[in-house]
Amino acid sequence: METEARHDALVNRQELIESGNVPRHIAIIMDGNGRWARQKGLTRAEGHRQGVKALKPIVKECAAIGVDVLTVYAFSTENWSRPQNEIDALMALLVEFLRSETEELKAEGVCIRTIGNISGLPELAQRAIQTAMAATAQQTRMVLNLALNYGGRDEIVRAINRWIQDNRSLTDNVLLTAPAMASYLDTAGLPDPDLLIRSSGEMRISNFLLWQLAYAEIYVTETLWPDFDPAELHKAIHAYQQRVRRFGGLRE
Ligand code: IPE
Ligand code: IPE
Ligand code: MG
C-alpha cells in the first residue's frame, strides 16, 4: 500500500524541532483498536483500553516537540451505530481517562478542550469533560482537543444554524463568509490542522474536520493505534517536513 515506508528512517525529537518546521496543529484519526484486539484474541473493549493508553505518550511528545494543538478523533457521530456494550466501554474509558490523567496533563501545560456535540454524550461523560476543561483552562503550552460525538457534517450544520440565529434580526441581505463560518465551527480560534495522521491504513477521512482539513498534509500508517508510539509520531512529522505545501499556488 502507498503508505510512508520510505520515511521509515528513525528521526529524533531534536532533529524535528531543529528543522524549524513543526506542524502547529496535528489531527489524528486513532483507528485500529478493534483489529489490534482481534489479532491478539482480545475483546474490542480491551483494544480500546490499549488505545487510550497509547494516547498519553503522544500528547506528551507533541507538547515536547512544540506542537500547539493536537486534535484526536475519539468518538464519531457514526460510532453510535456500534453495539451498545462497545459504546458503553468507550464512554467509561473516556471518563476514566479524564479522571486519571487531567492532573498530569495540567502539570505538562496541556489545556483540554473538545469539539463535537457534547450535549449528546451521557451525563457522566459531560461532567468529566467539564471538570477536566475547568481544571486545565489556564494552561497554554498545548491544546489537547478531544473530538467526541464529532462529525464534520454535524459541526457544519450546527455552525450554520447558529449563524442564522445570530443574524436573523439583520434587515439587509447579510451573507455568510468563510471567516464567519470558521468562527462558528467548534474549532473557532484554532489554526487549521497542518498534518492529519490516520493509523491502521484506511485511506479515508470518515467525517473528520471536513472544513478544517482543506490543506492538511495527510499521513497514513499501517500501524494500529494501540501500537502507535512516539517513534511513529516522529516518522509522521518527519514525512510532513519533506512535503512541499503549495496551497494552490506554485512551488517557488
Ligand atoms: C478506533 O478503533 C476507535 C474508535 C472508532 C472509537 P476501531 O474500533 O475503529 O478499530 P477497528 O477499525 O475496528 O480496527
Ligand atoms: C473513525 O474511525 C472514528 C474514530 C477514530 C473515532 P472509524 O473506525 O469509525 O471509521 P470507519 O468506519 O472505518 O470509516
Ligand atoms: Mg475503525
Side-chain angles (χ1 to χ4, degrees), residues 160-170 184:
I160 293 174
N161 282 331
R162 266 191 297 120
W163 183 85
I164 291 170
Q165 290 292 342
D166 288 354
N167 290 279
R168 212 158 240 176
S169 59
L170 298 181
Y184 275 81

Side-chain angles (χ1 to χ4, degrees), residues 12 20 39 96-97 108-109 128 130 136 142-144 158-159 168 178 196 198-200 203 206 216-217 229 231 245:
N12 65 36
Q39 284 178 8
E96 193 182 312
F97 172 82
E108 294 276 336
Q130 283 309 328
T136 61
M142 189 179 82
V143 171
L144 172 61
R158 284 187 288 105
R168 212 158 240 176
L196 171 70
R198 183 165 188 151
S199 59
S200 83
M203 299 284 192
S206 300
E217 295 296 325
D229 61 8
R245 302 183 78 185

Side-chain angles (χ1 to χ4, degrees), residues 25 113-117 145 150-164 166 176-193 207-214:
H25 183 172
R113 58 175 276 182
T114 64
I115 55 173
N117 187 0
N145 192 24
Y150 177 86
R153 290 181 173 182
D154 177 67
E155 179 192 33
I156 288 168
V157 169
R158 284 187 288 105
I160 293 174
N161 282 331
R162 266 191 297 120
W163 183 85
I164 291 170
D166 288 354
L176 180 57
T177 62
M181 179 72 197
S183 76
Y184 275 81
L185 292 171
D186 297 343
T187 49
L190 301 177
D192 285 342
N207 203 13
F208 195 34
L209 299 172
L210 297 180
W211 173 279
Q212 300 89 337
L213 290 173

